[in-house]
Amino acid sequence: MVRENLENVEKRILNACQRVGRHPEDVTLVCVSKTKPAEMIQDAYGYGKREFGENKAQELREKYDVLPKDIIWHFIGHLQTNKVKYVVGRAGLIHSVDSCRLAQAIEAESVKKGVVSHILVEVNVAQEASKFGLRTEETLELVKQAAALPHLRIDGLMTIAPFVENPEQNRPVFQQLRELSVDIDSKNIDNVSMGILSMGMTNDYEIAIEEGATHVRVGTGIFGERNYHIEQSEGCRRI
Ligand SMILES: *Cc1c(COP(=O)(O)O)cnc(C)c1O
């Protein structure tokens, strides 16, 4: 199943690139493997995939420890400061930095481990109350604050678009993230690149690519539906 799904997603990425005259090499497919077993990741790895996305710190740590070391892990979930220790030194890119406090915690852990951490700033473009991320107008300030931390590299911006029936509805969201990134880039802040735009999921990644996404995060479209019941019962047991 994973193989057919990957082929299908890659074909759609190629077609979306062709529609707007972009090079497919400029779009990275992040295979979102959260809740899925290591064997499924190994399967995708066997088909050449090297970039995987996880949204839970401990799950990232567990998978990191058992899977090949040339995998680039993307941390895409909400990150609590007390979990930063599991992610720094393991994730190649942290997509979800949305506060100065979190940026400082990543800086401190990076110092401790002697690494430089690459991050994206998460923007809640659509201003959904249920989602994390900064408001558009707060973003520049956080970028500036994080840029002053010597063990962080700000590589760009990330957004999670609303769940919509018709993915076309998210086109303005992707356009706004791109405009914000161009705007921040024009300020030429030291230590800041706006090279990465992480936007688009299974439902809307083709539209995101048309609007400039460099990283699309696709889970269900590759690994199938997730079963959250298992996760929930484990959570209950811990209490
Ligand atoms: C789960 C998740 C995805 C993947 O979602 P799908 O709809 O399964 O493709 C992408 N980004 C983030 C931040 C996620 O949490």
Side-chain angles (χ1 to χ4, degrees), residues 148-182:
L149 302 172
H151 297 77
L152 296 191
R153 296 286 176 276
I154 299 125
D155 288 347
L157 304 179
M158 177 272 223
T159 198
I160 303 174
F163 183 77
V164 288
E165 227 25 78
N166 175 1
E168 272 297 333
Q169 288 172 261
N170 279 336
R171 193 181 289 280
V173 171
F174 300 138
Q175 286 170 340
Q176 281 169 52
L177 191 71
R178 174 161 184 174
E179 279 162 22
L180 179 62
S181 122
V182 169

Side-chain angles (χ1 to χ4, degrees), residues 34-35 39 50 53 58 73 78 85 94 98 118 126 151 154-155 168 186 188 190 197 203 205 212 239:
K34 63 187 187 196
T35 80
E39 297 76 62
R50 293 294 179 271
Q58 277 110 324
W73 293 97
H78 179 63
K85 57 179 181 286
I94 302 172
D98 63 355
H118 289 257
H151 297 77
I154 299 125
D155 288 347
E168 272 297 333
S186 73
N188 287 316
D190 271 354
L197 272 181
N203 197 37
Y205 66 91
I239 299 165

Side-chain angles (χ1 to χ4, degrees), residues 174-226:
F174 300 138
Q175 286 170 340
Q176 281 169 52
L177 191 71
R178 174 161 184 174
E179 279 162 22
L180 179 62
S181 122
V182 169
D183 188 39
I184 293 174
D185 199 34
S186 73
K187 312 267 194 260
N188 287 316
I189 306 162
D190 271 354
N191 221 3
V192 174
S193 145
M194 282 289 127
I196 294 183
L197 272 181
S198 169
M199 55 190 198
M201 312 185 359
T202 295
N203 197 37
D204 54 19
Y205 66 91
E206 293 154 280
I207 307 284
I209 290 169
E210 288 175 13
E211 297 304 331
T214 66
H215 286 59
V216 291
R217 309 177 307 264
V218 181
T220 316
I222 297 170
F223 297 110
E225 295 292 335
R226 287 177 291 273

